[in-house]
Each structure stands twice: as C-alpha cells, then as structure tokens.
Amino acid sequence: MEKRVRVRFAPSPTGGLHMGGVRTALFNYLFAKRHGGDFILRIEDTDQTRFVEGAEEYIVNALKWCGISPNEGVGFGDGPHKPYRQSERKELGIYKKYADKLIASGHAYYAFDSNEELEEMRKRMEAAKVVAPQYNNVTRQNMRNSLTLPEDEVKRLLDANTPHVIRLKVPRNEEIRFEDIIRGWVIVNSNQIDDKVLLKSDGMPTYHLAHIVDDIEMQISHAVRGEEWLPSAPAHVLIYRYLGLEAEMPKLAHLPLILNPDGNGKISKREARFPVFPLSWKDPREAEPFIGYKESGYYPEAFVNILALLGWNPGDNKEIMSLTEMASLFDFDRVNKAGAKFDPDKAKWFNQQYLRMQSDESLASEFKLVLESKGIKRDNEFILQFCKLVKEKVQFTKEFWNEGVYVFEAPVSFDEKVMTKKWNPTNKELFTKVYQRFKNLDIWTAVVLHDDFTVAQTELGKIDMQMLRVIISGVAGGPQLFDLLALIGKEETIKRMDHFLQTH
C-alpha cells in the first residue's frame, strides 16, 4: 500500500527565515498539495545555545505571508503527533529511548571526552596534516569512551553522572548507498563519516538523531531539505538501519542551492543588491535590520512564483503561475541538481506582472496611502484614473509617485535635452496659439483634446507633441498624452502652460 504523503519543514529558530528556507518550505507544500498529503511545520530547537528570540514567530509569520501555510504544526494547529517543538518532545523522553536502543545494540557508545581532550585530539591531527580532523572510527581508539574504557569504569562514570555524550559508532570501510529522488544513487565510504553526536551532555538530541526520530514518529514519507545536508545523509541512513527502521525511512530529496547572481556562491543574508528575507528581520544580536521582500513592495504571489522557478521548471515555458497551478504540476523529477542563480531584475519583472494583475481599485487603495503620507488629498476617482494611466510603467506600487509626480505637482524643471533641441521663438509662438485654443475648449476629455489637436495640426502647422508634454509635465516621456491632459484637467493644464510661456 502506498504511504500517505506527509512532509515537513523543520527550521531552527536561530535567525530569520531566508529565501532559501522559504523555497524548501514551498517545495514541501507543493508536493503535499499535489498528492493530497500533509505539510507540517516542526521547530528543531535542539541547539539552545543558538536560539534567537523572535525567530520562531518570524518563521510562522513569513509562511503565512507567503501563503504556504502548513496544515499541522507550530503556529498552525495540533495534529496527532504534537508537540512539534523538539525541546518539548525531549521532555517526553522520546529521543533518549532511541539513543538507548542504539547503545544496547552496539551501534552507539558513550564518550566522556572533555572539551580540552577534544581540542588536543584536533591539534594532534592537524600536526599530522589531517585536513579535516574528526572524531571517527580511527581517532575514537585513543579517546575516553565506552569502547576504550573498562566496563566497570564506564559504569562508575555513568553512576557518577559524569558529563558525556552518545555517539554513533560508524563502521570502518563500509560502502553506504542510498537513493536521492533528485540526485539518484549516492555512494559514500564510511571512512569519510565521523561518529556523529546523537545525544548531548544535557540530554538534548542533536539534529542527526532528533529529525530521524521525529520523522519516524510523525510518519514522514519524504524528507525534503537543502543540499547542505547531503554530506550527513549517509550517517542518517546508518541510524535508520541500526534502529531497524530502514524500510520506514522517508525518501530523501536534497534541493540545489540558490546562488547569488554571479553564480559564484550561495546567497548570503548580507547581500546588498536585493532582499534575502521574506519579511524585514531584526536580529537582536546585530545592529542593522534586514529589509524584507514585503517591505520592499513585492507581492507575496510574485515572491513565491520567483522561488518556485529557482531549481524547478513545470515542463514548458510558462512562468506566471498561481500556487494552485504550481501544485498541480510539481514533482521532484523536474527539480535540478545544479544550483540556481537568482536574478534580481527578473524578480522585479515578476512583481510587475503581478502588479498588472491587480484591480485598478486595489492599486488606487494602496497608492492613496502614499499620497496621504505626503499630505496630498485627491478623490478616489482621480487616484483610480491616475493608477490606470501609469500602472504599465511601474514594477512596484511605491514607484507610482516618482512615475507620475507631475500629475499632482506642477514641474519646476523641464527636460534639458528637449528644451535645448526644440524650444525656440517659432515654437513659443505656435504653443501660444495652442494655449489659446485650449482655453476656448468647453469640453475637456481625451477624445476632444485629440480631435482638437488634429484640427490644430492642420490649421497651425506641425505641433511637437513631446514639447507639449514637457511643458505640462517637465519630462520627455510618459503615458498617453491626451489621457494625461484629461486627468490633470483644463484649469491646471492652462495654468501650467501660462506659467511656462511667461517664464521661457
């Protein structure tokens, strides 16, 4: 019988959730939706030394803003496998039970080494030119653990509550094979794997044990995570095997990295060219906040659409997709192995497409707040017509102001290039006549203005439309000219032309 699809997103509350983490959550969400399964948020807070206040709430809020809400887990409702924080699960004794089972079967051992002894071991290995010193099947022979100490000494140390950890006993020179649903078969020699700490001296499990126990207990069918966990996967396979649970092990999928625009490394949270976090994030340990995609003016649908196509394609050239459309198409056979370069300009393009999909009424409501912040009052219809006029020119709502400031404020400067090239006594005389015609118009609409201008071209000679635009707006380009004049209105247009002709 096919296992029900149950996936989890399991971040650590050690900081803000960056875009790479959001994409991992997104791919889990899409896969669960595609197969009618469950998507769970689990908080992996086993490393209490790195816990950051506010990080958990940030993760929950970021997922909600993105529209990729789990149907079970922290912040989203209890299910049959609560609690969903590992610190709370630890109190139930869940992890120790599994660690004790590994000890009993001889696949794990107690290690009593002090920090000083571990540091001394590393220095010895570095002196021996070992590139990556580690506690493994060779070095453990010279350390203080239950494999090297007499049995009665081990019992004495345990009875005395001597600080210790439980480590995985990795076999020597054994081939470990597992299938990744993105990368295919992966084969690693056990000599490349260190003896992972499974249970720390404070009784808290490490990621290596905790996520395996939780995935088994929560009946997770697919473990979807970042590429950075691929080197640890062979050790995880061994743990499943030694617990007698290899047949129940979730299928593994290691996602490719999101690379910076240059393609020479993964995206850093300190990237200055574009946001890295979905929402603005202020780490209490750092002075500077990080601005988010939301605060930068991105629509959540645009942000999610961008992320979906970083490492996955739907099988055609379609780019603009709703979450429902993505879910109907998503599968791991179209997820790439190679890292995906992030293109900030393409991200802005995505936002532009979603802006154009917004109703004019919605855009007007957003822009009205901008105007109010500047102390400018206009009626709703005026703002609505303005948004219709300029929305094709912008990528973000916040750009409406810069794109059309001249609609609300008369220009104080005029395009220098156009003025130098086109403004002369002949044109001044011509536009003085246009000014008089405009003053005599009884009806002021884009259609009437267009028709009158056509007649004026016949009666007065060729009238430079760009020069007229500069007189009214100060800039050389913009929306359709007669629509612009109609919006500004007759009184303001006449006033601006009069002022220009008087001063130039």
Side-chain angles (χ1 to χ4, degrees):
M1 182 177 170
E2 190 71 21
K3 196 174 184 180
R4 177 179 173 80
V5 168
R6 283 177 60 79
V7 294
R8 80 305 195 265
F9 177 53
S12 299
T14 54
L17 179 64
H18 58 74
M19 57 197 293
V22 177
R23 189 195 58 174
T24 299
L26 173 62
F27 282 11
N28 275 285
Y29 173 90
L30 295 176
F31 187 71
K33 288 292 182 184
R34 169 78 186 271
H35 296 280
D38 302 311
F39 173 44
I40 301 161
L41 175 64
R42 191 170 72 210
I43 298 296
E44 302 199 339
D45 58 347
T46 56
D47 191 347
Q48 293 290 298
T49 62
R50 296 177 61 219
F51 176 82
V52 172
E53 191 69 38
E56 182 183 299
E57 293 82 358
Y58 178 91
I59 291 166
V60 171
N61 290 335
L63 293 180
K64 287 180 178 177
W65 179 72
C66 292
I68 50 177
S69 297
N71 58 298
E72 183 182 328
V74 174
F76 294 95
D78 289 336
H81 304 288
K82 66 177 183 179
Y84 296 95
R85 293 182 189 88
Q86 288 181 338
S87 57
E88 295 174 4
R89 294 174 66 76
K90 176 252 183 184
E91 297 304 317
L92 301 177
I94 295 172
Y95 305 115
K96 189 175 186 308
K97 178 179 67 176
Y98 284 84
D100 288 344
K101 184 176 180 180
L102 290 169
I103 287 280
S105 65
H107 292 111
Y109 59 94
Y110 301 108
F112 302 94
D113 315 284
S114 66
N115 289 334
E116 292 75 18
E117 288 168 327
L118 291 170
E119 182 60 30
E120 186 181 328
M121 179 267 286
R122 281 190 284 269
K123 287 179 179 177
R124 285 199 308 269
M125 295 186 74
E126 286 170 357
K129 307 299 182 186
V130 175
V131 177
Q134 57 184 9
Y135 201 122
N136 59 18
N137 57 43
V138 174
T139 57
R140 69 185 177 216
Q141 302 303 319
N142 299 310
M143 304 301 290
R144 293 177 66 243
N145 55 60
S146 58
L147 300 177
T148 59
L149 297 172
E151 189 175 332
D152 58 344
E153 175 67 2
V154 172
K155 184 177 184 306
R156 185 189 70 77
L157 291 170
L158 292 175
D159 289 343
N161 291 320
T162 305
H164 64 277
V165 301
I166 295 179
R167 287 183 179 270
L168 177 67
K169 185 181 177 184
V170 177
R172 193 165 190 172
N173 200 30
E174 185 175 301
E175 190 177 86
I176 303 167
R177 298 165 56 91
F178 66 93
E179 187 174 15
D180 185 286
I181 55 179
I182 294 173
R183 299 162 191 279
W185 283 98
V186 178
I187 304 171
V188 178
N189 189 282
S190 62
N191 289 343
Q192 298 176 253
I193 305 168
D194 63 321
D195 288 2
K196 306 288 185 190
V197 173
L198 303 178
L199 215 62
K200 293 181 279 189
S201 57
D202 61 358
M204 189 70 82
T206 63
Y207 169 81
H208 304 294
L209 176 65
H211 89 276
I212 287 173
V213 172
D214 290 340
D215 283 355
I216 288 295
E217 297 263 333
M218 295 180 182
Q219 300 175 329
I220 300 301
S221 63
H222 297 76
V224 182
R225 57 193 183 183
E227 181 181 287
E228 64 272 18
W229 290 109
L230 189 57
S232 301
H236 301 159
V237 172
L238 286 179
I239 296 170
Y240 279 110
R241 183 177 300 165
Y242 295 156
L243 288 170
L245 297 169
E246 194 168 6
E248 297 174 48
M249 186 176 87
K251 294 179 180 178
L252 300 179
H254 290 89
L255 304 177
L257 294 173
I258 299 179
L259 305 175
N260 62 37
D262 304 323
N264 57 7
K266 68 178 183 179
I267 280 180
S268 163
K269 71 177 184 179
R270 303 197 183 280
E271 176 60 64
R273 291 171 287 180
F274 51 88
V276 174
F277 295 96
L279 312 177
S280 289
W281 165 247
K282 175 66 173 72
D283 193 312
R285 302 164 299 180
E286 299 179 0
E288 295 299 318
F290 297 94
I291 191 165
Y293 277 86
K294 177 184 178 182
E295 293 74 15
S296 297
Y298 283 83
Y299 291 103
E301 299 88 349
F303 176 60
V304 167
N305 203 154
I306 296 161
L307 290 182
L309 297 177
L310 289 175
W312 170 74
N313 73 81
D316 55 27
N317 294 323
K318 188 172 185 179
E319 293 185 296
I320 304 299
M321 291 175 284
S322 67
L323 271 171
T324 301
E325 288 175 295
M326 292 178 212
S328 70
L329 298 168
F330 186 85
D331 225 324
F332 288 107
D333 57 356
R334 290 195 174 276
V335 174
N336 302 325
K337 299 176 188 176
K341 283 197 293 187
F342 178 71
D343 184 345
D345 293 330
K346 187 72 172 182
K348 292 175 183 177
W349 176 86
F350 270 103
N351 203 67
Q352 183 179 53
Q353 307 315 302
Y354 278 91
L355 184 148
R356 290 173 178 175
M357 286 186 234
Q358 307 302 310
S359 69
D360 295 325
E361 289 76 13
S362 174
L363 293 174
S365 294
E366 290 184 55
F367 186 60
K368 186 176 183 179
L369 298 176
V370 176
L371 291 177
E372 288 175 350
S373 71
K374 296 179 180 295
I376 295 174
K377 293 185 177 180
R378 290 289 190 279
D379 63 53
N380 292 340
E381 183 60 26
F382 185 93
I383 299 171
L384 180 68
Q385 295 306 318
F386 169 78
C387 290
K388 285 182 178 180
L389 203 59
V390 300
K391 75 174 186 178
E392 296 299 316
K393 301 284 186 179
V394 301
Q395 295 175 316
F396 299 92
T397 310
K398 62 186 177 183
E399 294 174 348
F400 276 121
W401 175 256
N402 288 337
E403 188 63 34
V405 58
Y406 50 78
V407 171
F408 303 95
E409 298 176 350
V412 294
S413 62
F414 303 86
D415 188 281
E416 191 175 329
K417 189 179 291 185
V418 174
M419 291 293 292
T420 301
K421 184 178 179 182
K422 297 183 176 181
W423 190 245
N424 52 52
T426 302
N427 255 340
K428 182 168 184 174
E429 182 181 347
L430 184 59
F431 277 103
T432 300
K433 295 175 182 177
V434 173
Y435 164 72
Q436 292 298 331
R437 290 183 72 96
F438 280 178
K439 283 181 69 174
N440 293 328
L441 284 177
D442 295 323
I443 300 174
W444 191 267
T445 66
V447 173
V448 169
L449 286 165
H450 175 272
D451 291 346
D452 186 71
F453 203 78
T454 303
V455 174
Q457 292 272 33
T458 304
E459 296 178 358
L460 303 177
K462 181 171 175 54
I463 305 168
D464 193 299
M465 292 181 68
Q466 188 180 49
M467 190 65 242
L468 176 59
R469 182 187 294 278
V470 169
I471 291 171
I472 301 302
S473 69
V475 296
Q480 211 286 331
L481 180 58
F482 300 115
D483 289 333
L484 174 63
L485 296 180
L487 179 63
I488 290 175
K490 178 179 179 179
E491 182 180 349
E492 180 66 16
T493 300
I494 296 301
K495 181 180 174 183
R496 291 185 186 188
M497 290 189 75
D498 182 51
H499 174 76
F500 183 87
L501 292 168
Q502 294 290 337
T503 56
H504 292 81

